[in-house]
Amino acid sequence: MERGLYIAASGMVSEMARQDLISNDLANASTAGYKSDTAVQGSFGELLLRNTETGATVGPIGQGSRIERQVTDFSAGPIKETGEDLDFAVEGDGFFAVQTGQGVRYTRNGQFTVSPQGTLVTAQGDPVLGRGGRALQVGADGRVDPRALEVVQLTNPRKEGDNLATGTPAGAAGTGQVRAGALEASGADAARSMVDMIASLRSFEAGQRVITTIDETLQKAANNVGTIGG
């Protein structure tokens, strides 16, 4: 019984972690350049049960589930025209470089703006870097030459939050080209995320029902023992 409680509880914990990722995808379904995440679930392993008297094999029993890793889909999304002078999209592979308080980070979100100092910055106010790692000045006409933005190719990119990523620059310029007046659409599919959320909630509720059933069974067993003892 106790093992059943543990197996059900571990499955519920896994589904809670999965729901967090799905919720984040839903919240960023309209965020330019966002990359969706998938939780890869796995088993803790199985135990082989045997009859203690005869030694006959009864069969395997699982030990619960866990989240083994989080996988981010960094594939390029469709590009949509916006007509805004400071919107940029990378066609192909590569990232924009951004100078943050924690160092240089990378993003596919090219929805930039101009700072009070006249430089190109992200929505969070971080300077966007051009070729040579220099901040980019916005021209008097409110535009930036897309060729001035450097596209960085990353090895093993990893999401860090705020639509930023870390990784090791590959040492060569990205293969993508910068396109002005356009943005890359979010990699999150709201409809698919809703379906995944419903499936995850049903799995979570199934775990709840298992725990409730085991708890009721244990309570009846305890009551019977108390009755016999009395």
Side-chain angles (χ1 to χ4, degrees):
M1 289 293 184
E2 292 82 356
R3 187 179 298 279
L5 286 170
Y6 175 79
I7 292 173
S10 68
M12 292 171 66
V13 171
S14 295
E15 290 302 331
M16 288 173 63
R18 183 183 172 204
Q19 288 166 26
D20 286 342
L21 293 182
I22 298 173
S23 297
N24 194 46
D25 281 356
L26 282 170
N28 288 280
S30 60
T31 301
Y34 175 80
K35 301 304 174 187
S36 62
D37 296 307
T38 301
V40 179
Q41 293 177 294
S43 171
F44 278 111
E46 294 184 340
L47 296 176
L48 186 63
L49 300 183
R50 295 181 182 276
N51 188 304
T52 56
E53 294 184 0
T54 65
T57 299
V58 177
I61 181 172
Q63 300 186 75
S65 64
R66 60 178 178 177
I67 299 297
E68 292 187 337
R69 64 186 184 277
Q70 175 180 326
V71 178
T72 303
D73 183 4
F74 281 103
S75 59
I79 294 177
K80 299 181 179 180
E81 295 286 343
T82 66
E84 297 294 331
D85 292 332
L86 297 183
D87 283 350
F88 300 93
V90 177
E91 292 183 301
D93 296 331
F95 295 79
F96 297 114
V98 177
Q99 182 66 56
T100 72
Q102 292 72 44
V104 178
R105 296 295 184 267
Y106 306 92
T107 184
R108 293 278 297 191
N109 184 356
Q111 195 168 25
F112 303 137
T113 186
V114 58
S115 72
Q117 293 75 34
T119 58
L120 189 68
V121 296
T122 65
Q124 290 74 33
D126 297 321
V128 180
L129 303 180
R131 299 184 182 278
R134 296 185 297 272
L136 293 169
Q137 288 292 135
V138 178
D141 58 355
R143 298 181 179 181
V144 172
D145 186 345
R147 294 171 297 181
L149 281 79
E150 186 173 14
V151 178
V152 180
Q153 187 76 25
L154 294 181
T155 301
N156 298 322
R158 300 175 302 279
K159 287 179 66 172
E160 193 178 74
D162 290 331
N163 217 2
L164 298 175
T166 61
T168 304
T175 57
Q177 300 293 320
V178 179
R179 180 171 163 184
L183 291 173
E184 180 182 358
S186 172
D189 185 324
R192 183 184 63 191
S193 295
M194 285 299 299
V195 172
D196 290 343
M197 178 64 80
I198 293 172
S200 180
L201 286 172
R202 287 178 177 171
S203 296
F204 184 86
E205 291 169 351
Q208 285 181 313
R209 289 194 294 271
V210 169
I211 289 178
T212 299
T213 301
I214 294 176
D215 181 64
E216 292 174 350
T217 301
L218 290 173
Q219 185 175 2
K220 289 179 181 178
N223 292 338
N224 288 339
V225 170
T227 302
I228 295 174

